[in-house]
Amino acid sequence: AEGNPFLDPTESDNLDAQLEQYTANGGLYSVGVFYKKMKGFYYNRVFKFDVLDANDQPIPNPSGLRQWSQWHNAQGAKNKGLELIANQKFYFLPGSLKGLSVATSATFTDSVANYPNRPGEKLPTYGFSDYMFNGAVEYVHGRFRGRASYRYRSDYLEGIDTSAFIDDWFGAREQVDVELSFRLTKRLRVYANGENLTWRPQASYQGSKAYIEDFSQY
């Protein structure tokens, strides 16, 4: 890994528009769109190699046994997207159901970026997912509070190599978490948290999902 003291700052021109509605019965409903024109954003250039040239620089080799990485400035990117939000508190329901609430959101994006070492190729912006979903159900009653949440993020580019066949990608990620707590006194609360209850793996791959680089599960 090599540093890069010559990086330029990231600059972005942004256009955002959002329409929100707050309802009398505890709801929030929102639609938003955004457009970002960026220049100078950073990406991690990664490639494999075996030997160095006369200037002690690595010579790219797709089948090399060593890996070199350095942060670089991309030539620019355009990102646009749509965000939807729907939150609702059910305090108008009878009895103990008043403590129930639901929160959901979805984001859909499209991005095109230009990288110096990959001219003419249509590649996404480094670190941008095409879509993300979030949902949560929460229940509060007396001293008890419980929350179950769901998150999903599609795969995204995390390393630019010499070709699309060996670029590094962070795989799609899905996770379900649960939080429970009970207040015993004003100063004492007990709680229990469960993360990734559906045992979804976290994986990175190179070029194709058939070529796994890292795989972890917890």
Side-chain angles (χ1 to χ4, degrees):
E2 184 177 357
N4 188 352
F6 303 106
L7 291 172
D8 294 323
T10 299
E11 296 181 357
S12 177
D13 294 323
N14 304 322
L15 294 174
D16 299 270
Q18 191 163 356
L19 179 64
E20 296 179 342
Q21 180 183 13
Y22 294 86
T23 67
N25 60 357
L28 165 63
Y29 300 90
S30 170
V31 177
V33 293
F34 64 86
Y35 175 83
K36 302 177 185 296
K37 185 177 181 180
M38 305 170 62
K39 68 175 182 178
F41 77 90
Y42 310 134
Y43 72 97
N44 197 20
R45 186 183 177 192
V46 180
F47 62 78
K48 293 183 178 181
F49 74 101
D50 283 321
V51 297
L52 304 177
D53 62 18
N55 297 317
D56 289 332
Q57 293 298 307
I59 301 174
N61 179 6
S63 59
L65 299 179
R66 301 177 180 180
Q67 181 171 283
W68 176 87
S69 65
Q70 184 183 39
W71 288 95
H72 283 253
N73 281 119
Q75 293 173 325
K78 295 179 180 179
N79 310 316
K80 56 186 176 181
L82 169 70
E83 183 182 59
L84 306 173
I85 298 174
N87 300 337
Q88 182 65 60
K89 296 182 178 180
F90 295 99
Y91 67 82
F92 51 85
L93 293 178
S96 59
L97 294 178
K98 292 181 178 180
L100 189 65
S101 62
V102 174
T104 62
S105 68
T107 304
F108 306 90
T109 64
D110 180 59
S111 66
V112 177
N114 298 315
Y115 300 93
N117 59 316
R118 303 281 289 278
E121 291 189 55
K122 184 177 180 181
L123 294 167
T125 305
Y126 183 90
F128 263 67
S129 295
D130 288 337
Y131 43 86
M132 294 181 288
F133 302 104
N134 291 278
V137 178
E138 186 174 52
Y139 181 71
V140 178
H141 182 68
R143 301 180 179 185
F144 173 81
R145 177 182 178 272
R147 177 183 174 87
S149 61
Y150 171 85
R151 290 177 290 167
Y152 179 84
R153 180 178 181 178
S154 63
D155 52 0
Y156 59 87
L157 190 63
E158 65 170 355
I160 306 295
D161 212 307
T162 55
S163 73
F165 297 103
I166 47 178
D167 285 339
D168 293 331
W169 289 78
F170 196 93
R173 178 73 170 138
E174 182 181 52
Q175 185 166 326
V176 175
D177 301 330
V178 171
E179 304 173 17
L180 304 173
S181 68
F182 187 83
R183 181 170 53 84
L184 298 176
T185 68
K186 291 183 178 180
R187 297 185 178 182
L188 181 62
R189 179 185 296 271
V190 294
Y191 64 90
N193 295 341
E195 294 187 353
N196 194 27
L197 296 183
T198 54
W199 285 77
R200 297 299 187 189
Q202 178 176 303
S204 297
Y205 60 90
Q206 191 174 53
S208 167
K209 295 178 182 179
Y211 300 102
I212 300 295
E213 282 192 318
D214 303 293
F215 184 93
S216 61
Q217 193 168 31
Y218 70 95

